[in-house]
Amino acid sequence: MLEEINRAVSEVFLGGRFESRPLYLVLDNQGREQLATSLNVGPHEVEDVCCREVSKHLKKQGDPYSNFEYELFAWSLRRRKGYPPFTALLFVLSHAAEQMVSDGQFTAGNYYDRLSALVNVAPGRLSQHGRSTEQFWKSFNSWLADNDFAFGRPTARAINSNRYVGIPMSQAIVREADRQRFHLMFDKYGFTNTDDVSETEIEQYISTWIRSTQPTKQLKEAWKKTELRSRICEAAIAELEDWQAEDTATSGSSGSGISRLSLALGLRHDFLGRSAALYFGKEQSLESIALGMDGSGELELSNTTYAAFATLEPRSSIPLSRCLLHGLELDQDGEPAYKWHGRPAIPLSRSDQGYWSEVSRVSLGVEHLVLVRDDSKIRGAIEGALEEAAAPGYTLATPAQLKGLPPGWVLYEKVVIKRALSELKGFESVLSPVGEAASLRLEGGIKLGRGIYHRWLPPTVQLESTKPGVSVVAWEGSSPDGPELCSQESGSSAVELDLSDCIPESGNVYLEGRAGKTPVASASLLFRSADRPRPLDRQARSIVEYTGVQQAIVGRTDSTIAVRGLLIRKPGTGDYDLGILDSFRDLPAPPQRLDENEEAGPGAPVVARSSEAIESIKGLSVDEVMELPCAVRGLHRLKFAPVPPGTPQYAPVDVECLDCDITYLHRRKPAAKAGARRSSARRSVPQSSNVGSSIAKREINHDLWLDGACFLGAGSAAVFETFAASSGVDPWRAGPVLRDFTLLGHLDVETGPTHRARNWSASPPVLSHTGNGTAVLSGFRSKSLIEQLHENVVKAGGELQLESLANHPSIVRVFGLDEEALAEAIGEVRDPHGRTIAVVSNAGPDILSFLADRASLVEMFRPVSLGKGIPVQRYDPHFNKWRNADQVQGQGAYRVSEAGTSYVYVTASGKAFSGPHELVKVAAARGSGTRLHAYDPETRQFSSRLGCEPIGLLGRALVSCRGQLPPTNDGLSIFKDVPPGVAAGVLHHLYNGELPG
């Protein structure tokens, strides 16, 4: 029975609900209902049932936990596979702490009395052997880390001097009722859907909010214990993430049914400069949602631009300047559904995916952008605050300098706030950080997931405080109990620790920041690579397989007809007429050279010309002005909350606007010295630089990205946007890399309705013969796998080489072994998943044979309805360029700014169909009798105009012939060593395949 209880409890806590989230072993209502169903008991009985069965397994003599110690030993011998066999025990220990917290009595004696009553063991014996429980908590934490936080992040750490009571207490301080009350605090202080708050910042909010009537009595009592505050802050941040992810938000004490939107700003760098784009949206991935807005008709909320941030489109239909001031309200099926509050000064911080997302206010020591209404009073307040509190180096961009900024708004860049403001007057409050205590920041590195970084390129740890004497220490494991790895201290208020030389073999690192000798911040990090990949998805729920040219499914079906990488299940038997090659012998270069980067991604965004007038209050009466939103009139009416007796002198206080219902938290400071107050005189701010070529040319480490993808095994397109942001390049460059990895057979990608990559999975490892005794490795790879290959190939008399090319992952080539000899040489080689490496020949012909009866072009187009007045460009097949057009008119290919940047083919009958930009161009070329591709049988080279390369499995078939991406020259992509049969098959599908009519 205990085994059944342990499995049921493990499923509740470790069954996927808490992936990469802090894990607490106490039940919420959802978990209690799930556990009751599993045990076939009532929800009110689950704790009693679990305690009773755990009690039966406790020994009545000596150490009560010795039976569980045996289970731990046996589990360790099984290499800790499966759930820990003592999860139920830890749950019971936490449940005892939860009851103690309910009493508000935080003493060891009270804990053991509670535990004794639950398990029927004398409290004295439980106390005597309390140290035995620590091994279970340590093993549990270690197991969570070794599983890459897939089951949750460890939170079990002692919170007081009594370690064996302090650890279970750490699980139970914040109860479900407390977590729900946190939502009221988030609403009160205007938190956004994209706020990223540190523990030191959330502590300031809680310290003020805890004095109100909203928190529970138990939480108030716990907050009085200084040693418990860090755990309460940790729980509040975890709840903030849940609150941000909810489809609906709470308002007051009941749900309003209205979801919050946030503002995002994307910067695009190219060889000519920079441009900016503003988006209203929500930080999540979702299916397209149709919404309505007064005066703007139908809008769509979907992931048309970013994989992790759903944007409201078409942007050209949104009066951006007005919405920034007046706010935005949207309805779904006639009911209010989404809302965004207008703000005259909007700080934004860089997200993990590279765009800049709105935050409620700035954080100390972090770079921000600040979008500000171009009003003299508002800009004066902002610039005065920047002069007082910001580090030198911030700059100013206007719409004339930065294309894409709305009229009537300016953007302050490189804003790093170093201290809180001495006084609060109004709009500049967003520039006054709440927390002034130390906080850990991670800069650089390649991020693989929350708290997970690539071990080849770890981040730098930074700690900044307002007081001198800080340090950072790193230990191996998930607590400061492990071996110390490295440390750095400074006599100043800032310190930086480089982790490059102190990553342990386990890859598990616990960081602690200290001000003097007092710990002020901590973090658990994992460092991983493909040498230690995440386990394969045994149920194949995330596996991507191709069933057509670009048609793919996620989650393997019973069908045996599919393609993964260069492995083809059940190839076809179709052949292609080589006579088609006679019509494609020559392809002259375009008369005008095309910039090679024009079609690198989905294409530069089509920007609408704004006709919005700058809103003014001139000529209005005082009463009329006061009726306007605060953001429009440039004035708040602020009310400072009374400070209860006994409040520390400089504790934060609430500041509420009587008109716009916004509440700020103001951290009071000592009176400024003479001459130290903010100057009312405006000083000129240096203009922002608009040079983008240096970022556009920044190199990408393709081997690092590919290794990271192989570690993860599968994911969404947002993973590659995170790689791009970590590498300091624009998010749009993630798409081309993902496409290239797909063409090379390393990854398989599923596209969504907008024809952009949505999900991907790493392909199985394959050595594919390309002729002349040469084979190329595709699919999964790791350093250890390549080392094994090298050793076995050399023993068999062959040679392995790593070929480095620009903008290309290293090519692993094997020479000197035919297919049979190679298969024998590597027969014992296994990748980290335990898989053998398949050896294949004729991958290109096999793919074309597979596609003989499964390559419908029509299925890759979908009918669309184009709105009027949207920005549009028409494709010129002769010059291979997009040209501005007044409207969609006549048969051809168009690039339109509707629901993101979309590519549309309009038929001779006037019907419109969206499709991949490469196929849309081919459709237009066929309609005009133009050729975009050619094949030379003598050189065996297949040529394609840039941006028109064959997509999906057609492109993979061409690339597999040589095992590398096509080089470019004079506006052409050149695929080499292509057999005539492969070229004929690709041209047949492109130029004879059925188009939508």
Side-chain angles (χ1 to χ4, degrees), residues 42 46 109 152 227 279 295 406 496 511 695 740 835 889 996:
V46 292
E227 67 272 16
Y279 304 91
E496 185 173 283
L511 296 169
I695 295 179
D740 290 345
R835 299 176 298 186
Q889 185 174 14

Side-chain angles (χ1 to χ4, degrees), residues 615-733:
E615 196 163 0
S616 173
I617 61 173
K618 291 183 178 179
L620 300 180
S621 67
V622 173
D623 291 339
E624 289 173 326
V625 169
M626 295 307 294
E627 288 294 324
L628 295 172
C630 299
V632 176
R633 70 185 186 220
L635 176 67
H636 278 308
R637 288 199 303 144
L638 300 179
K639 175 185 177 182
F640 284 73
V643 180
T647 302
Q649 184 177 5
Y650 300 114
V653 296
D654 288 341
V655 183
E656 178 188 2
C657 177
L658 300 178
D659 294 326
C660 61
D661 296 326
I662 292 177
T663 301
Y664 297 110
L665 193 66
H666 178 49
R667 186 177 178 85
R668 297 179 295 167
K669 298 189 69 175
K673 296 180 181 179
R677 291 184 176 272
R678 245 174 282 164
S679 171
S680 59
R682 290 272 299 277
R683 296 187 181 181
S684 61
V685 180
Q687 293 185 352
S688 299
S689 170
N690 202 30
V691 177
S693 60
S694 60
I695 295 179
K697 294 178 181 177
R698 187 170 292 166
E699 293 185 0
I700 291 173
N701 188 331
H702 291 77
D703 288 326
L704 185 61
W705 286 29
L706 179 56
D707 192 90
C710 289
F711 158 76
L712 293 169
S716 71
V719 168
F720 278 78
E721 292 177 356
T722 300
F723 289 172
S726 300
S727 303
V729 300
D730 286 356
W732 69 265
R733 294 183 66 183

Side-chain angles (χ1 to χ4, degrees), residues 75-348:
W75 181 60
S76 300
L77 289 180
R78 298 193 303 269
R79 303 182 66 177
R80 302 200 301 179
K81 291 185 177 180
Y83 293 138
F86 46 82
T87 311
L89 170 64
L90 300 184
F91 166 61
V92 170
L93 297 177
S94 301
H95 180 53
E98 185 179 24
Q99 291 194 334
M100 178 183 65
V101 170
S102 298
D103 292 341
Q105 299 179 20
F106 303 92
T107 65
N110 187 43
Y111 172 75
Y112 286 117
D113 286 341
R114 284 294 189 180
L115 182 60
S116 174
L118 295 175
V119 300
N120 195 29
V121 176
R125 197 151 64 90
L126 293 171
S127 176
Q128 179 184 357
H129 296 281
R131 67 171 60 247
S132 296
T133 62
E134 187 175 20
Q135 61 187 316
F136 303 112
W137 290 110
K138 286 185 174 180
S139 295
F140 186 74
N141 287 346
S142 176
W143 181 79
L144 291 175
D146 289 343
N147 282 277
D148 305 330
F149 300 152
F151 302 105
R153 298 171 63 85
T155 61
R157 295 188 295 275
I159 56 176
N160 53 32
S161 57
N162 192 326
R163 298 179 56 81
Y164 318 122
V165 175
I167 296 177
M169 278 179 60
S170 69
Q171 303 297 286
I173 297 167
V174 180
R175 304 177 309 159
E176 183 177 19
D178 301 319
R179 292 195 293 270
Q180 293 301 316
R181 299 291 181 94
F182 283 141
H183 294 197
L184 305 176
M185 181 181 71
F186 304 150
D187 273 323
K188 176 179 180 179
Y189 293 116
F191 279 56
T192 70
N193 179 245
T194 48
D195 268 306
D196 184 12
V197 183
S198 69
E199 287 186 21
T200 56
E201 291 169 330
I202 203 74
E203 181 179 5
Q204 301 303 312
Y205 286 103
I206 298 176
S207 66
T208 303
W209 173 76
I210 204 75
R211 300 195 296 261
S212 70
T213 58
Q214 292 180 345
T216 65
K217 179 181 178 181
Q218 289 81 5
L219 187 63
K220 289 186 175 187
E221 289 298 319
W223 188 255
K224 293 177 182 178
K225 304 287 185 180
T226 305
E227 67 272 16
L228 305 184
R229 291 187 176 183
S230 64
R231 310 322 303 275
I232 297 174
C233 293
E234 181 182 62
I237 290 175
E239 195 60 30
L240 174 61
E241 293 173 358
D242 276 346
W243 177 82
Q244 290 171 332
E246 288 176 351
D247 289 334
T248 59
T250 57
S251 178
S253 59
S254 62
S256 68
I258 300 178
S259 185
R260 295 165 176 77
L261 295 179
S262 290
L263 188 71
L265 184 147
L267 289 173
R268 183 183 175 101
H269 300 79
D270 55 36
F271 296 99
L272 300 178
R274 301 186 307 160
S275 61
L278 286 169
Y279 304 91
F280 292 108
K282 192 170 180 64
E283 197 167 70
Q284 66 184 93
S285 297
L286 45 76
E287 296 298 326
S288 176
I289 299 175
L291 301 171
M293 182 174 73
D294 290 343
S296 297
E298 287 296 317
L299 298 172
E300 178 183 293
L301 185 66
S302 62
N303 300 94
T304 55
T305 303
Y306 300 104
F309 190 90
T311 59
L312 196 62
E313 303 285 356
R315 290 188 299 125
S316 57
S317 298
I318 302 173
L320 187 58
S321 292
R322 177 176 175 80
C323 288
L324 289 173
L325 292 176
H326 290 266
L328 181 66
E329 295 185 8
L330 302 163
D331 62 81
Q332 184 178 7
D333 298 328
E335 297 293 330
Y338 291 89
K339 189 172 185 177
W340 185 82
H341 287 286
R343 303 171 67 187
I346 308 167
L348 305 106

Side-chain angles (χ1 to χ4, degrees), residues 376-642:
S376 59
K377 289 183 179 179
I378 298 174
R379 283 187 58 182
I382 294 298
E383 291 177 7
L386 291 175
E387 184 180 342
E388 175 189 350
Y394 55 88
T395 60
L396 174 67
T398 66
Q401 297 160 339
L402 183 57
K403 183 180 179 181
L405 284 184
W409 292 79
V410 296
L411 185 71
Y412 294 88
E413 301 185 81
K414 301 179 181 178
V415 174
V416 180
I417 300 297
K418 295 302 216 178
R419 63 188 66 86
L421 299 177
S422 58
E423 53 185 341
L424 186 67
K425 296 180 179 179
F427 298 112
E428 77 280 8
S429 62
V430 297
L431 296 182
S432 186
V434 172
E436 288 197 292
S439 59
L440 290 174
R441 303 287 179 185
L442 303 175
E443 294 293 332
I446 293 293
K447 194 169 187 179
L448 302 176
R450 187 181 175 200
I452 308 176
Y453 287 82
H454 203 290
R455 68 180 304 138
W456 297 1
L457 189 63
T460 298
V461 185
Q462 298 178 353
L463 179 69
E464 191 162 355
S465 179
T466 55
K467 297 180 180 180
V470 292
S471 61
V472 177
V473 187
W475 292 272
E476 182 175 5
S478 57
S479 70
D481 299 325
E484 183 174 322
L485 299 169
C486 54
S487 62
Q488 188 68 45
E489 59 181 318
S490 171
S492 67
S493 60
V495 68
E496 185 173 283
L497 176 63
D498 186 354
L499 295 175
S500 300
D501 298 324
C502 56
I503 304 300
E505 183 65 27
S506 68
N508 303 341
V509 175
Y510 181 79
L511 296 169
E512 189 172 87
R514 297 172 176 172
K517 296 182 179 180
T518 304
V520 293
S522 64
S524 290
L525 301 181
L526 304 180
F527 296 91
R528 299 288 189 259
S529 72
D531 281 335
R532 183 182 171 176
R534 283 186 166 175
L536 291 173
D537 182 358
R538 301 297 182 187
Q539 286 74 42
R541 291 165 298 187
S542 59
I543 299 300
V544 177
E545 295 184 328
Y546 288 99
T547 57
V549 173
Q550 191 164 287
Q551 300 93 315
I553 56 175
V554 180
R556 184 177 299 168
T557 66
D558 294 333
S559 172
T560 58
I561 304 173
V563 174
R564 287 192 66 198
L566 296 184
L567 287 180
I568 300 112
R569 297 209 303 269
K570 199 173 181 178
T573 58
D575 293 322
Y576 298 92
D577 182 5
L578 299 183
I580 193 174
L581 299 179
D582 295 335
S583 302
F584 291 86
R585 291 295 300 268
D586 187 35
L587 182 63
Q592 185 173 347
R593 181 177 176 84
L594 176 71
D595 187 288
E596 295 183 1
N597 289 281
E598 179 173 340
E599 290 299 343
V606 186
V607 181
R609 295 182 179 180
S610 176
S611 59
E612 292 185 71
I614 301 175
E615 196 163 0
S616 173
I617 61 173
K618 291 183 178 179
L620 300 180
S621 67
V622 173
D623 291 339
E624 289 173 326
V625 169
M626 295 307 294
E627 288 294 324
L628 295 172
C630 299
V632 176
R633 70 185 186 220
L635 176 67
H636 278 308
R637 288 199 303 144
L638 300 179
K639 175 185 177 182
F640 284 73

